[in-house]
Amino acid sequence: MSLTPLDWLIIVLYLAGCMVAGLWMRRYVRGVEEFAVAGREMDVNLGIASLAATELGLVTIMYTAQLGFEKGLAGASVGVIMAFAFWFVGRTGFIIGPLRTAGVMTIPELFEKRFNVRVRWLAGLFVVLGGLLNMGIFLRLGGEFLVWATGMPPSWLEWVMTILLGLVLLYTALGGMLSVLVTDYLQFLVMGIGIVITSVLVLVNVGGLDLIASLQAAWQGQAGMKLNAHPFNPFHESSLGTGYLLWMVLCQLAAATTWQTVISRVLAAKDAATAKAMYRRTSFYFVGRFLLPGLWGAAAFVYFAQQGGLPEGTTSLTAMPQYLGALLPVGIIGIVIAAMLAAEMSTDSGYMLTWATVIYNDLISPCLKRPLSPSGRLLLTRLLVLGIGVFLLFYGLWYEMPGNAWDYLAVTGNIYLASVFTLLVAGLYWKRATARGAYAALILGAIGPITFLLIGKQYSIPPEVAGAAAFGLAALGMIAGSLLSPRPANQA
Amino acid sequence: MKDPFILFWAALIVGSVLWYGFLVFYVGIKAGRDIIQMIAALKRDHAASDRR
């Protein structure tokens, strides 16, 4: 499927609108407070739009569709768990309430108040390490979608990725969180329309009942391709399995309370009540975030099964965009490509800004003998955004994932999810927690995921073992380290 | 077809499509208003700091 002039017109109009809106907001940036947390002026509905746009990238659509292709609709169970985690946190204010009330700009900043500056620095290092490795595959997967959905030559992938990243860098580095919020809003609208249209067209194309019957036939080995996992029951041993789902409960609760790109919306909210309302109202969105692209992936499986198998060169990751390229009519594919570009841009901008803020706020700032001037801080944060963009381009081109995309993302996120989640829970709710316990939790929590990334492929370490071990080791480190050191000064 | 898992996923697919459609419409209008108010608040803050 190649794009027609009408499709290109839709895409160019969308990109131009985004750039104008993003650059327009630059005039309201006067300092780091506005650049990093939008002057803490964000209200609940803008928070929902921004959170939804940032946490649904083209990479999300690719890995959730891959889960749908490989595991049927059961692959979307992670989204159901994620929705419950967000609803629970929004209902109780667990962690996010005291975090917003503390008035910090990043999570590690809280650790200086609770423990000491060295804990803040070490936590900042793990947050950045996990975050950047996690983001490293975003551009590659986004580029893969565009190549397979539009039929463009694969040799264009690097150039398309570079131009797309350049556009995002321009408005993110100049306007910071203010530009990110406004462009997120536009991207939320375009993305939502694209996802609804695509889902309806997929359901019309394969037929809901036919899809279910075809997946069952494929699971029973009576179709053109064999589905190796139970397509509907996630607890079945061939599917995700109970152990994996239990790891996901812990992982998603930690992600909802410590994933810095999500938390940056909490910290930009007007107050804790606004942050909690934003979580509650966004929670069901996360079901669709996994289920609707998962539906496209499952439909792609049925489509290729009817064709007798995957064409040469097509994988479980690239089957969905290839299927959409064949399915979507002229004009609609332009809207869907614009929607996917919106998904990619909103995620890239939010993530680059977040990690740049943590690097400045928690790694560089504590090491400075004299604080920088406000304009110096702003310039340095902007340069960090640009530096992260360059890193993304090069890392995305050469790193090869051990396993499927979702497991890579979950495990790299786990590098800091387990340790920082443990520090937050202990720091906010356990008065006996000490800095020594915090060091032990940070280091032990990162061992499991880093081991998986380095040797997981050779030794077939299941991701749930690496992930769950990280949480167990981090908790053990925090408890043992704290009990083996003197009580904190205010507890003595 | 009466497998509870199948009914569960079918209900969630229909619910998700409707919810996304509603979110785009409802949050789209409300968040647009939030942006206008956020810009107004920033302008007020800047004017106040200029006066100081």
Side-chain angles (χ1 to χ4, degrees):
Chain A
M1 175 81 196
S2 54
L3 300 180
T4 64
L6 174 63
D7 296 316
W8 280 112
L9 180 66
I10 293 167
I11 292 166
V12 169
L13 278 176
Y14 155 72
L15 288 173
C18 255
M19 292 307 294
V20 169
L23 295 174
W24 175 265
M25 292 306 288
R26 183 199 166 195
R27 66 188 56 204
Y28 299 109
V29 176
R30 285 198 177 178
V32 168
E33 181 92 350
E34 278 130 357
F35 189 84
V37 288
R40 302 192 198 275
E41 297 283 5
M42 187 190 77
D43 215 333
V44 66
N45 288 296
L46 183 55
I48 292 169
S50 179
L51 183 60
T54 300
E55 291 307 312
L56 202 162
L58 191 40
V59 63
T60 321
I61 286 166
M62 288 292 276
Y63 73 67
T64 50
Q66 185 182 32
L67 279 173
F69 187 95
E70 292 178 350
K71 300 183 186 302
L73 300 180
S77 306
V78 180
V80 177
I81 293 169
M82 197 171 185
F84 270 112
F86 269 82
W87 181 85
F88 171 77
V89 172
R91 188 78 189 79
T92 59
F94 177 57
I95 292 182
I96 66 166
L99 192 59
R100 175 62 190 86
T101 306
V104 294
M105 205 149 28
T106 60
I107 290 174
E109 195 179 332
L110 183 79
F111 297 150
E112 181 174 6
K113 291 184 173 186
R114 178 61 179 80
F115 300 111
N116 62 39
V117 70
R118 287 185 296 277
V119 172
R120 172 185 181 174
W121 195 90
L122 192 60
L125 185 66
F126 281 108
V127 165
V128 168
L129 182 68
L132 288 181
L133 286 177
N134 185 274
M135 196 184 173
I137 64 165
F138 285 16
L139 278 179
R140 161 65 63 180
L141 264 63
E144 294 263 6
F145 177 92
L146 295 172
V147 164
W148 287 94
T150 62
M152 73 167 74
S155 58
W156 290 17
L157 188 146
E158 282 79 10
W159 288 107
V160 170
M161 284 159 63
T162 305
I163 292 166
L164 193 64
L165 186 69
L167 293 175
V168 176
L169 273 172
L170 189 62
Y171 69 73
T172 306
L174 291 175
M177 184 60 109
L178 287 171
S179 288
V180 167
L181 285 177
V182 173
T183 51
D184 274 359
Y185 168 67
L186 294 175
Q187 288 151 358
F188 167 77
L189 295 179
V190 174
M191 204 172 73
I193 292 166
I195 287 173
V196 169
I197 289 174
T198 305
S199 300
V200 170
L201 284 175
V202 164
L203 283 172
V204 168
N205 175 255
V206 294
L209 295 177
D210 287 348
L211 175 74
I212 288 166
S214 301
L215 287 173
Q216 275 183 318
W219 160 239
Q220 290 157 356
Q222 298 162 354
M225 292 197 308
K226 173 88 172 81
L227 188 60
N228 294 320
H230 194 296
F232 308 112
N233 180 358
F235 299 99
H236 195 277
E237 60 185 19
S238 66
S239 184
L240 297 170
T242 307
Y244 189 95
L245 292 170
L246 285 174
W247 170 49
M248 276 297 118
V249 170
L250 203 52
C251 198
Q252 295 305 332
L253 185 62
T257 50
T258 63
W259 193 238
Q260 184 69 51
T261 53
V262 174
I263 291 298
S264 65
R265 269 70 187 165
V266 169
L267 301 176
K270 282 183 167 178
D271 49 38
T274 301
K276 287 163 66 177
M278 179 177 76
Y279 265 53
R280 287 196 304 275
R281 294 181 200 177
T282 314
S283 58
F284 189 67
Y285 177 86
F286 289 104
V287 173
R289 175 187 188 263
F290 273 78
L291 185 54
L292 296 180
L295 167 73
W296 310 348
F301 182 92
V302 170
Y303 171 79
F304 285 113
Q306 287 166 351
Q307 312 264 320
L310 283 174
E312 198 174 335
T314 303
T315 65
S316 63
L317 191 66
T318 58
M320 179 275 290
Q322 205 172 348
Y323 164 65
L324 290 189
L327 166 73
L328 299 173
V330 169
I332 296 294
I333 187 129
I335 294 173
V336 171
I337 296 293
M340 297 304 128
L341 289 176
E344 180 66 22
M345 292 168 79
S346 57
T347 301
D348 289 349
S349 62
Y351 274 58
M352 285 193 294
L353 178 66
T354 295
W355 306 130
T357 303
V358 174
I359 293 172
Y360 168 73
N361 200 48
D362 302 308
L363 295 183
I364 296 175
S365 183
C367 299
L368 297 174
K369 288 188 175 171
R370 281 185 306 136
L372 291 174
S373 67
S375 59
R377 294 168 64 190
L378 198 53
L379 176 65
L380 184 55
T381 312
R382 283 173 165 156
L383 289 174
L384 287 168
V385 170
L386 292 172
I388 290 170
V390 172
F391 163 80
L392 283 182
L393 266 183
F394 289 101
Y395 184 87
L397 293 180
W398 63 263
Y399 182 73
E400 193 183 333
M401 287 181 292
N404 74 23
W406 167 244
D407 287 341
Y408 171 85
L409 291 169
V411 172
T412 48
N414 228 157
I415 287 177
Y416 96 75
L417 279 184
S419 50
V420 173
F421 179 66
T422 303
L423 257 70
L424 271 173
V425 172
L428 292 170
Y429 300 107
W430 189 37
K431 290 178 179 173
R432 184 67 179 79
T434 67
R436 193 176 293 176
Y439 294 135
L442 280 167
I443 292 164
L444 289 175
I447 286 174
I450 290 174
T451 305
F452 173 84
L453 289 174
L454 294 176
I455 59 167
K457 208 170 184 176
Q458 294 95 305
Y459 294 96
S460 302
I461 300 172
E464 62 265 40
V465 171
F471 281 96
L473 286 169
L476 186 68
M478 172 55 82
I479 293 167
S482 294
L483 294 179
L484 292 173
S485 54
R487 284 174 178 275
N490 58 358
Q491 284 281 297
Chain B
M1 267 309 295
K2 286 184 178 173
D3 181 336
F5 282 111
I6 293 177
L7 295 174
F8 174 73
W9 293 119
L12 280 187
I13 286 172
V14 173
S16 292
V17 171
L18 293 174
W19 181 245
Y20 271 54
F22 167 75
L23 268 187
V24 167
F25 179 74
Y26 178 81
V27 173
I29 292 169
K30 295 276 193 179
R33 196 191 59 184
D34 282 0
I35 288 175
I36 293 165
Q37 289 177 342
M38 181 177 77
I39 291 172
L42 286 166
K43 281 180 174 172
R44 273 199 309 273
D45 291 350
H46 290 173
S49 70
D50 288 346
R51 278 198 298 274
R52 282 198 295 271

